[in-house]
Amino acid sequence: MSTFLNASPVFGPVRSRRLGLSLGVNMMPASGKICTFDCIYCENGFNAERPCHEPYNSAATVLAALEAKLREMAGAGELPDVITFAGNGEPTAAPEFPQAIAGAVRLRDKLAPSAKIAVLSNGTHADRPEVHAALMMVDDNILKLDTVDPDFIQLLDQPVGPYSVEHQIETFATFGGHVIIQTMFLTGEYQGHDLDNTGDAYVEPWLAALERIRPQEATIYTVARETPAAGLAKAAPEVLDGIAARVRALGIPCQVSY
């Protein structure tokens, strides 16, 4: 199925289901994907289909482009609601991610003070002290936890290298609530495996993890664009609403994107 790569080092702005008018910041080059996950639902395609032979963008490159775009948007009278570090893969893996965040905060304060800064991350580098400190600087620290079932993670998210769900939960809890947990719920099948993670067998342990993490919010969503793997299907709106109600019953706000 068709997928796409984002422009670099900035892209958009785009109208996000969850974030409003979002100006994207891409630490990766436009020519390929660099990610520590290989999610079967990723809109950027599988890693092997989008090989990248260029390095991550430097903080200086990213910040120069971000400043130019913010000035352009200010001139047009439409500044972004959020500046989102996302792009073609995992932004926190970029060597100069911390410097880019610090610079983006300064630019936001100067040129777009009402905008938030968000990071969309799979959390695989959130335990690194310099990354952790940078994520504490942003408004929306959005970290992925699609399930706490190790086998399902290997099927759905396909981590590149060792991955411990328990370690991720412990790491996410160290943010002291300054974290938004992002979870994909879906149905369908992949390579003969059932992909439905909306039942109690998956949802109840996930809720227990949320209780341990105590995020400021959870955001749950489902398939909305073309995916690299065939056979994936949306979770029904009423199912997502039911899961969201269980999150809110824990005293945790929950945003739903259908």
Side-chain angles (χ1 to χ4, degrees):
M1 304 178 81
S2 63
T3 55
F4 64 90
L5 290 171
N6 295 290
S8 179
V10 297
F11 60 96
V14 297
R15 184 64 61 178
S16 167
R17 289 184 293 167
R18 290 161 285 166
L19 301 173
L21 187 65
S22 173
L23 178 62
V25 178
N26 189 359
M27 297 297 297
M28 288 68 70
S31 59
K33 180 186 174 192
I34 311 174
C35 199
T36 51
F37 272 10
D38 198 16
C39 299
I40 63 176
Y41 59 81
C42 181
E43 62 193 24
N44 300 135
F46 286 123
N47 294 351
E49 295 174 348
R50 305 289 196 185
C52 186
H53 306 291
E54 299 175 77
Y56 283 95
N57 287 323
S58 68
T61 296
V62 165
L63 295 173
L66 178 59
E67 179 173 6
K69 188 64 177 181
L70 287 175
R71 291 189 182 280
E72 175 190 320
M73 293 180 72
E78 187 177 39
L79 286 167
D81 298 312
V82 61
I83 299 164
T84 307
F85 281 72
N88 303 331
E90 176 50 44
T92 67
E96 296 188 10
F97 171 77
Q99 296 94 321
I101 289 293
V105 170
R106 290 192 296 269
L107 287 175
R108 184 276 309 275
D109 292 348
K110 178 181 179 181
L111 300 174
S114 64
K116 290 184 175 182
I117 295 179
V119 176
L120 296 177
S121 169
N122 60 33
T124 50
H125 293 306
D127 59 348
R128 296 183 176 182
E130 66 277 13
V131 171
H132 192 285
L135 292 174
M136 288 296 293
M137 295 176 65
V138 306
D139 300 284
D140 292 340
N141 170 30
I142 305 171
L143 303 181
K144 176 179 295 297
L145 186 67
D146 283 338
T147 177
V148 298
D149 183 279
D151 292 334
F152 199 89
I153 287 171
Q154 292 299 323
L155 183 66
L156 183 67
D157 297 329
Q158 301 189 124
V160 179
Y163 181 88
S164 165
V165 180
E166 177 62 24
H167 177 70
Q168 293 305 113
I169 294 170
E170 291 176 353
T171 297
F172 295 171
T174 65
F175 285 97
H178 184 67
V179 58
I180 297 170
I181 297 300
Q182 173 181 262
T183 301
M184 165 68 77
F185 287 103
L186 75 172
T187 64
E189 64 86 28
Y190 176 64
Q191 296 184 345
H193 296 277
D194 179 17
L195 282 179
D196 191 341
N197 64 335
T198 64
D200 282 349
Y202 292 101
V203 173
E204 289 182 357
W206 175 77
L207 290 170
L210 291 187
E211 288 192 277
R212 292 173 59 190
I213 298 167
R214 299 309 302 181
Q216 68 191 62
E217 182 182 347
T219 178
I220 65 176
Y221 65 121
T222 192
V223 178
R225 299 186 178 96
E226 297 287 336
T227 60
L232 312 187
K234 285 178 173 289
E238 60 270 21
V239 171
L240 293 176
D241 287 339
I243 295 171
R246 297 174 70 176
V247 175
R248 294 172 187 135
L250 300 176
I252 300 171
C254 187
Q255 181 179 357
V256 185
S257 295
Y258 303 106

